[in-house]
Amino acid sequence: MKVSHESPVSILAKSKEYNDFDYCLVHLLDQHTEYLNYYKTAKEYDREVLLDNSIFELGKAFDSVQFFKWVNELKPNMFIVPDVLENAQETMQSYIKHAEYVKQTKQSFTTKAIGAIQGRTWNELKNCYRFMSYEADMIALSFDFSYYEIVGEGDTKLERFCSGRQRFITDLINTGVWDWSKPHHLLGCSLAKEFRFYVDRNIYNIVSCDTSNPIVAAIHGLKYDADYGLQSKPTTKLADLITHEFTQDQLDLVNYNTSMFKKIIRR
């Protein structure tokens, strides 16, 4: 499983040491010149880039016309087609609406269109999954569906999110819906310990994940445990810390936390 930990501008160059690929938030590109320049030159350093439509940070997907402008300028290896939070029908309609953009983009350069699953119920999520399995090159599953709070176990929301995504994926596999031929990406995390579950069960087509958790934890002075990471999670979004300047102690924690994350996923 490849890992990318979104990082502030001040340590983007350093992030190559602990990231397997680069995860770009589209709404930050026109806000921070150094951020833009890093992703513009990623190809020169033979870096894989996933371009996110910033729905988690903005509450809705970035303007689609502008998004595909950035897709064609940066030429990422992967990009998440604009989706709609927890709305399966509108997410599928959005994918259909942008199908011509996707087709033209893939004719221009080699890239993968990622379909993000959305919905509130098992049937909605399952139907959206089946749609993306047919339409998209890659499937993305979020960490914080409200559905997970219903099916997940644990005393806290973080525990329920953690076990809820594990159960959702397990149910997709057990009901024969899971598409073993398609690569999957896990969007974000509640608790880092979640990811060992997939490695231990050899769900081999979960090929990547992104989470800023080890980085944000380091900024808050929180140290990972090698077995489970953290039991809590800072509420700050990495995008709100994009201009953060690190102390040496925080940099030491970045190194430690990111190395512990890899231990959690048995690397």
Side-chain angles (χ1 to χ4, degrees):
M1 188 188 301
K2 294 181 179 179
V3 177
S4 186
H5 303 300
E6 300 96 313
S7 302
V9 169
S10 61
I11 61 169
L12 278 177
K14 176 182 173 56
S15 72
K16 297 171 188 174
E17 299 172 9
Y18 52 77
N19 281 341
D20 301 314
F21 65 99
D22 293 326
Y23 196 92
C24 180
L25 296 170
V26 69
H27 76 289
L28 297 177
L29 290 169
D30 57 8
Q31 295 181 16
H32 303 281
T33 302
E34 192 175 346
Y35 190 84
L36 171 60
N37 289 339
Y38 178 82
Y39 287 101
K40 272 189 170 181
T41 60
K43 295 288 185 183
E44 297 175 17
Y45 297 97
D46 198 27
R47 301 288 296 176
E48 271 193 314
V49 174
L50 191 161
L51 183 62
D52 189 314
N53 63 46
S54 295
I55 194 170
F56 177 70
E57 289 73 22
L58 301 177
K60 63 178 181 179
F62 193 74
D63 177 78
S64 59
V65 173
Q66 293 301 309
F67 178 72
F68 278 97
K69 178 184 80 70
W70 283 118
V71 169
N72 284 283
E73 181 170 338
L74 295 182
K75 294 180 171 51
N77 304 82
M78 304 155 277
F79 63 93
I80 301 178
V81 177
D83 52 325
V84 182
L85 285 175
E86 298 218 313
N87 192 313
Q89 192 60 37
E90 289 188 18
T91 292
M92 291 185 285
Q93 288 174 351
S94 178
Y95 200 99
I96 293 169
K97 173 185 173 182
H98 295 106
E100 188 59 32
Y101 283 111
V102 171
K103 180 181 177 182
Q104 291 174 3
T105 298
K106 291 172 63 177
Q107 288 174 343
S108 299
F109 61 95
T110 302
T111 187
K112 289 186 176 71
I114 301 176
I117 307 306
Q118 296 288 353
R120 287 189 173 273
T121 67
W122 162 251
N123 281 332
E124 289 175 358
L125 290 163
K126 179 180 65 174
N127 290 339
C128 191
Y129 181 95
R130 281 177 166 153
F131 174 90
M132 295 303 175
S133 173
Y134 181 78
E135 296 288 343
D137 303 310
M138 193 169 181
I139 299 170
L141 302 172
S142 183
F143 81 96
D144 62 348
F145 291 146
S146 57
Y147 175 74
Y148 298 155
E149 288 201 71
I150 300 170
V151 300
E153 298 179 350
D155 296 328
T156 68
K157 179 184 284 191
L158 294 176
E159 289 283 355
R160 292 190 292 275
F161 279 165
C162 174
S163 63
R165 182 159 60 176
Q166 292 171 344
R167 178 170 177 181
F168 177 54
I169 290 172
T170 300
D171 287 347
L172 288 172
I173 292 171
N174 290 342
T175 55
V177 177
W178 185 261
D179 186 346
W180 290 99
S181 71
K182 286 281 170 77
H184 290 62
H185 176 83
L186 299 183
L187 293 161
C189 83
S190 54
L191 300 173
K193 66 180 182 180
E194 175 196 350
F195 299 98
R196 181 172 289 177
F197 178 91
Y198 312 115
V199 176
D200 286 350
R201 285 156 182 77
N202 192 29
I203 307 177
Y204 56 83
N205 61 331
I206 296 179
V207 298
S208 56
C209 68
D210 72 278
T211 172
S212 62
N213 188 271
I215 311 302
V216 176
I219 292 173
H220 286 274
L222 301 174
K223 187 176 182 179
Y224 260 41
D225 178 278
D227 291 323
Y228 59 80
L230 300 175
Q231 296 286 51
S232 61
K233 178 182 178 180
T235 57
T236 319
K237 293 179 181 177
L238 189 281
D240 297 327
L241 298 167
I242 199 66
T243 59
H244 180 79
E245 296 290 341
F246 287 78
T247 66
Q248 186 57 53
D249 286 345
Q250 289 173 333
L251 285 174
D252 290 343
L253 274 178
V254 166
N255 291 332
Y256 184 82
N257 288 350
T258 54
S259 64
M260 289 304 103
F261 190 95
K262 285 184 169 60
K263 284 189 176 181
I264 289 169
I265 61 172
R266 303 202 185 283
R267 283 179 49 187

